[in-house]
Amino acid sequence: KNQVEQSPQSLIILEGKNCTLQCNYTVSPFSNLRWYKQDTGRGPVSLTIMTFSENTKSNGRYTATLDADTKQSSLHITASQLSDSASYICVVSEGDNNDMRFGAGTRLTVKP
Amino acid sequence: NAGVMQNPRHLVRRRGQEARLRCSPMKGHSHVYWYRQLPEEGLKFMVYLQKENIIDESGMPKERFSAEFPKEGPSILRIQQVVRGDSAAYFCASSPLRLNTEAFFGQGTRLTVV
């Protein structure tokens, strides 16, 4: 069973709308959690990284939250743009070695 | 400072041939990770290398796959006697320390086995 579960698997929204992507994990011990954006045919690019003590972190129109007690994270995208269409991948690093565990991603499509 | 460079971007091989994928990490990075991404699936860890050493190859198939990161030159992921199931995108990431800091990804090599 994957230690990082993302939902929804795919999402279609209209340009200008907001959306929230979810990430639940069972990785333990926890080191940090990152959200990556992966455009089709490209490598993942980091959006945010959060450690145990951080509850929220923003990067422009992207805001990530982390609840280490319930082992849940969310990525909120505000005022979506067509260029936000991509896969968003939740990555949780495990233990002292910081080994990365990848979620399967949420494929977001923003339509005009 | 150039990013992580992977080449070729696209590679087509016939069944039974060998595929060699190259990854040049960012300047100053001595840690390299290889991942495989099947269509419509997430990234799967294959192998973690430091210069001249394989640290963790737990995600790499035992047969036909090998990886190296020589003292000089890029890291190489080698797939011998390719089969159709090897068709995937292969991504490389590099970091200056073992993932205590940011890991940067290359653009990937898309391997197609015909």
Side-chain angles (χ1 to χ4, degrees), chain A residues 99-102, chain B residues 6 19 21 32-38 42-49 54-67 75-80 85-93 98 105 109 111:
Chain A
D99 291 334
M100 293 197 289
R101 300 284 181 252
F102 286 79
Chain B
Q6 290 188 248
L21 289 63
V32 167
Y33 313 83
W34 284 93
Y35 298 86
R36 178 165 61 177
Q37 188 173 38
L38 296 171
L43 286 152
K44 296 286 192 323
F45 168 77
M46 297 183 74
V47 61
Y48 160 48
L49 309 103
I54 296 176
I55 306 302
D56 181 357
E57 55 182 349
S58 58
M60 200 151 70
K62 295 288 185 285
E63 298 179 351
R64 304 189 296 108
F65 286 73
S66 62
S75 175
I76 306 287
L77 179 67
R78 183 180 176 208
I79 311 172
Q80 295 178 290
D86 296 332
S87 296
Y90 292 83
F91 289 95
C92 157
R98 185 164 183 178
F105 282 84
T109 293
L111 172 66

Side-chain angles (χ1 to χ4, degrees), chain A:
Chain A
K1 187 181 187 301
N2 196 5
Q3 297 182 61
V4 181
E5 298 285 346
Q6 290 189 242
S7 62
Q9 187 175 10
S10 61
L11 182 62
I12 300 173
I13 62 173
L14 292 176
E15 186 179 12
K17 297 296 185 183
N18 304 335
C19 67
T20 300
L21 314 181
Q22 299 290 344
C23 174
N24 297 337
Y25 63 92
T26 59
V27 176
S28 181
F30 173 86
S31 179
N32 59 66
L33 185 147
R34 313 161 196 243
W35 283 93
Y36 281 89
K37 178 187 180 187
Q38 186 178 20
D39 293 309
T40 301
R42 311 283 292 231
V45 175
S46 178
L47 295 175
T48 65
I49 177 171
M50 289 186 291
T51 58
F52 185 86
S53 59
E54 295 175 293
N55 301 117
T56 184
K57 183 167 281 189
S58 293
N59 178 2
R61 294 179 297 102
Y62 300 103
T63 299
T65 65
L66 173 65
D67 186 334
D69 291 330
T70 61
K71 298 188 176 182
Q72 295 179 326
S73 175
S74 66
L75 180 69
H76 187 73
I77 304 174
T78 305
S80 60
Q81 300 176 358
L82 298 178
S83 60
D84 292 332
S85 294
S87 288
Y88 292 84
I89 304 170
C90 175
V91 182
V92 181
S93 290
E94 174 183 9
D96 296 332
N97 291 330
N98 278 324
D99 291 334
M100 293 197 289
R101 300 284 181 252
F102 286 79
T106 292
R107 189 180 299 275
L108 175 65
T109 303
V110 180
K111 292 195 169 183

Side-chain angles (χ1 to χ4, degrees), chain B residues 4 8 12 15-16 19-20 36 39 47 53-54 61 67-68 74 76 80 82 86-87 89 99 101 104 106 108 113:
Chain B
V4 178
V12 179
R15 280 179 295 172
R20 291 170 70 88
R36 178 165 61 177
V47 61
N53 287 307
I54 296 176
E68 64 176 12
I76 306 287
Q80 295 178 290
V82 296
D86 296 332
S87 296
L99 297 178
T101 56
F104 295 88
V113 179

